[in-house]
Amino acid sequence: MEIRMTAHSFLLVLLIVSGLGCAGTGPFVTLPSSAFFETDVQEREALRVVSRTQESRRANCQQYATCEEVTYTRGLVALFENREDAINAFQELRTTSPNGRYAASSTRWLTLLQGGQPASTRQSPLFIQLRQEILHGLLEPDTLAASRKLKEQERRIAEVRP
């Protein structure tokens, strides 16, 4: 699976990182093992499929010179699972491929992940848009569309119930 990260996504990350300097650093509770972005059940299942695919690709990545992409994708998936794993993946990229394709993006992610911003900041429209763009890049369009459709149906059912 080829990662479809657009220049728009990179700009969003850059804007968020640069804007964090202006944000207050009030009390927050973010465990290193907690996810950076929240997910629903359907998204978690789809991300598990992506994760398993990347693990199988990792076994052969030296043979096909795709380790950098696999590690970056692992880092992106970890944003939805475990913040510490995401940090480790992005640090690994900076160590193993300091001038590689994902070096600059990995540096921005590390800055964002280690910034210590309150969890409430991640509910801002910019973070929500960034989250959606990452999901679009990681998940097949059909999987994401099916997930949204199911979520919409559940919402409608909940509205109908008294």
Side-chain angles (χ1 to χ4, degrees):
M1 173 179 75
E2 185 175 320
I3 299 173
R4 293 177 232 134
M5 296 299 295
T6 64
H8 189 80
S9 296
F10 291 114
L11 288 175
L12 284 173
V13 172
L14 185 60
L15 283 171
I16 291 170
V17 170
S18 63
L20 287 176
C22 301
T25 57
F28 59 93
V29 178
T30 303
L31 300 173
S33 61
S34 57
F36 186 73
F37 291 118
E38 294 181 15
T39 57
D40 61 29
V41 174
Q42 291 84 15
E43 291 166 340
R44 272 193 300 278
E45 278 303 312
L47 287 166
R48 282 188 194 117
V49 170
V50 172
S51 185
R52 284 192 296 265
T53 302
Q54 293 306 308
E55 287 307 315
S56 66
R57 287 183 68 202
R58 188 177 187 189
N60 298 319
C61 72
Q62 292 294 341
Q63 183 178 358
Y64 300 107
T66 59
C67 292
E68 190 178 354
E69 182 180 331
V70 168
T71 304
Y72 187 73
T73 303
R74 275 186 24 241
L76 292 178
V77 170
L79 292 169
F80 298 91
E81 296 173 344
N82 184 306
R83 176 189 212 101
E84 189 173 6
D85 289 347
I87 289 170
N88 290 336
F90 295 129
Q91 284 177 335
E92 179 183 334
L93 270 173
R94 286 192 43 206
T95 302
T96 60
S97 304
N99 299 314
R101 177 176 170 187
Y102 301 106
S105 183
S106 294
T107 299
R108 287 189 294 268
W109 276 116
L110 286 168
T111 301
L112 189 60
L113 290 166
Q114 296 169 335
Q117 74 281 359
S120 61
T121 304
R122 293 192 301 272
Q123 298 306 315
S124 72
L126 206 51
F127 270 96
I128 293 168
Q129 184 177 356
L130 178 60
R131 177 191 174 282
Q132 284 306 112
E133 289 199 21
I134 294 166
L135 283 173
H136 277 289
L138 289 172
L139 304 178
E140 295 295 324
D142 294 337
T143 305
L144 192 57
S147 172
R148 284 190 184 148
K149 185 175 180 181
L150 184 58
K151 197 172 185 178
E152 180 62 24
Q153 288 173 344
E154 290 171 350
R155 187 186 62 75
R156 287 182 186 157
I157 291 170
E159 288 175 353
V160 173
R161 289 185 184 158

